[in-house]
Amino acid sequence: MHATGPAAGLRCQPVALPTLGQRVRGGPAQTSAVRPSSSTQAPASCSRRCSSSSGLGYQQPTRRLVHARSAETEDDGFTAAPNDMQEARIIVITSGKGGVGKTTSSANLGMSIARLGYKVCLIDADIGLRNLDLLLGLENRILYTAIDILDGECRLDQALIRDKRWKNLSLLSMSRNRQRYNVTRAHMVQLCEAIIALGYQFIILDCPAGIDVGFINAISPAKESLIVTTPEITSIRDADRVAGLLEANGIYNVKLLVNRVRPDMIQKNDMMSVKDVQEMLGIPLLGAIPEDPQVIISTNRGEPLVLQKQLSLSGIAFENAARRLIGKQDYFVDLNNPHKGLFQKIGEMFSN
């Protein structure tokens, strides 16, 4: 089931969020505001404070107060470029089948969008395992995770790890070195709402493999989804199943990213083409990423492909997909000749 946002008509009253041992009743909590500063005090009109063990672990001021003061708490030296976005976008990247490149896609798309001037938060929603920090080179800087926030052991700003290369890109990990944690859909909604209150324009959730409770939790706060698949029949079947589950949970804005495409095999009819995959699934195509050995190199170095000085073909394809995702580009990159798509577009303009 798809979790809804905070109820309309919220009043300026501090609300204690549910602790880990409490069952969430009646849907998500009525507020998800999170104060990223330990020195924050209750407003003058507030006669009480939330306990440090409640919900996200510190005072929950009203939604209106958070929006009014979010500029004060985010003193990171970065101001998001003006744009035509009406509200923050929460995108879940999923596939159903493991090993198709969800985490690689999350890292590169998130980095590309951040480089375009948007404030982006990447959430590694895999509670049991985490890998997104490795692809970004941030594994040594993670001291707290989202689980610590829910336990009341840290603040949100302590768990958000800012990338040193691009200050408007942050990572929030959910994994913890202990037994599986009982994260609910309400918790996911609260975390995303709190991150949006800090001024983030994009939240990208790296969904765990499978369609169990981890998948349901990851898609709960999302309004749109990106399905990653490879041109293999097993991956396509799982992607089709995931597309049905997304629609059943109220997520209708779904796009397709075909990964690990090999044009040489397509020409020999040994691999399905991108068009074939897109027609089988019936999902709008966002982009196609070619098979590239640079992916392994960039993963080991903790540097996304899109940050390389000389972009490989897959890096260009990720940049292209990111620009299409935010509506700044409407043509596709030719996998055989990455510059051909642009020149063809210009030639068509003059020929008409």
Side-chain angles (χ1 to χ4, degrees):
M1 295 179 63
H2 181 72
T4 58
L10 189 64
R11 294 293 183 265
C12 295
Q13 296 179 357
V15 179
L17 300 182
T19 60
L20 299 179
Q22 294 175 329
R23 296 184 60 184
V24 178
R25 300 182 183 273
Q30 297 300 306
T31 183
S32 56
V34 176
R35 299 299 297 169
S37 173
S38 58
S39 60
T40 303
Q41 295 181 355
S45 60
C46 181
S47 60
R48 60 191 178 96
R49 297 186 185 181
C50 297
S51 171
S52 61
S53 62
S54 62
L56 297 181
Y58 34 90
Q59 181 191 349
Q60 300 296 319
T62 64
R63 184 185 181 95
R64 187 181 305 169
L65 292 177
V66 167
H67 281 297
R69 299 185 183 183
S70 60
E72 300 177 8
T73 58
E74 282 293 288
D75 188 16
D76 56 4
F78 174 82
T79 302
N83 54 76
D84 55 357
M85 289 183 60
Q86 298 298 321
E87 60 181 8
R89 295 174 62 182
I90 305 177
I91 306 171
V92 59
I93 297 183
T94 182
S95 67
K97 188 177 187 297
V100 299
K102 293 188 300 296
T103 303
T104 300
S105 300
S106 300
N108 284 278
L109 291 176
M111 182 65 73
S112 295
I113 295 174
R115 294 176 66 192
L116 292 171
Y118 297 88
K119 200 165 186 180
V120 182
C121 179
L122 293 171
I123 300 180
D124 192 340
D126 195 334
I127 300 177
L129 302 170
R130 75 177 189 219
N131 292 309
L132 190 54
D133 56 327
L134 293 173
L135 272 68
L136 296 172
L138 301 176
E139 65 275 9
N140 294 328
R141 296 178 54 195
I142 295 181
L143 299 177
Y144 300 103
T145 68
I147 306 301
D148 298 310
I149 300 176
L150 298 174
D151 275 343
E153 298 176 3
C154 72
R155 304 185 308 271
L156 177 59
D157 65 319
Q158 292 177 310
L160 282 173
I161 307 300
R162 258 186 214 101
D163 191 277
K164 292 183 178 180
R165 296 156 295 194
W166 292 91
K167 299 295 185 181
N168 53 324
L169 177 69
S170 298
L171 169 68
L172 177 63
S173 178
M174 296 199 68
S175 179
R176 192 168 187 179
N177 297 326
R178 68 178 192 183
Q179 61 183 2
R180 195 170 183 84
Y181 186 86
N182 186 25
V183 175
T184 66
R185 288 172 292 176
H187 289 148
M188 295 296 299
V189 173
Q190 290 167 12
L191 285 172
C192 288
E193 289 287 338
I195 292 171
I196 291 174
L198 297 181
Y200 285 88
Q201 298 162 299
F202 281 88
I203 297 179
I204 298 179
L205 293 126
D206 182 18
C207 185
I211 54 174
D212 58 359
V213 64
F215 167 82
I216 298 299
N217 289 339
I219 69 174
S220 295
K223 301 298 182 183
E224 50 189 305
S225 175
L226 177 60
I227 297 180
V228 181
T229 185
T230 58
E232 301 173 10
I233 192 65
T234 54
S235 179
I236 294 173
R237 172 186 284 181
D238 291 351
D240 184 59
R241 171 64 172 156
V242 165
L245 291 175
L246 290 171
E247 184 175 351
N249 283 272
I251 302 178
Y252 302 102
N253 187 356
V254 181
K255 294 181 176 62
L256 177 67
L257 185 70
V258 184
N259 194 24
R260 302 180 65 177
V261 178
R262 295 188 57 176
D264 57 331
M265 293 185 66
I266 294 175
Q267 292 175 359
K268 297 177 182 178
N269 291 325
D270 292 332
M271 175 179 285
M272 285 182 289
S273 67
V274 175
K275 184 178 180 180
D276 292 336
V277 175
Q278 192 265 332
E279 289 179 350
M280 289 180 66
L281 294 175
I283 301 173
L285 181 65
L286 178 71
I289 313 299
E291 181 79 37
D292 191 348
Q294 287 294 324
V295 173
I296 300 176
I297 298 174
S298 67
T299 299
N300 293 335
R301 292 179 177 176
E303 181 178 309
L305 289 167
V306 295
L307 290 182
Q308 294 180 351
K309 293 182 180 179
Q310 293 184 346
L311 288 179
S312 63
L313 184 54
S314 57
I316 296 174
F318 274 122
E319 286 275 10
N320 174 70
R323 295 181 68 86
R324 287 179 58 82
L325 187 62
I326 62 177
K328 290 187 176 294
Q329 182 169 308
D330 59 358
Y331 61 88
F332 289 93
V333 169
D334 191 310
L335 297 183
N336 294 312
N337 187 350
H339 303 288
K340 184 178 178 182
L342 176 59
F343 292 143
Q344 275 187 339
K345 186 176 180 67
I346 296 175
E348 291 173 358
M349 292 173 60
F350 285 103
S351 62
N352 292 333

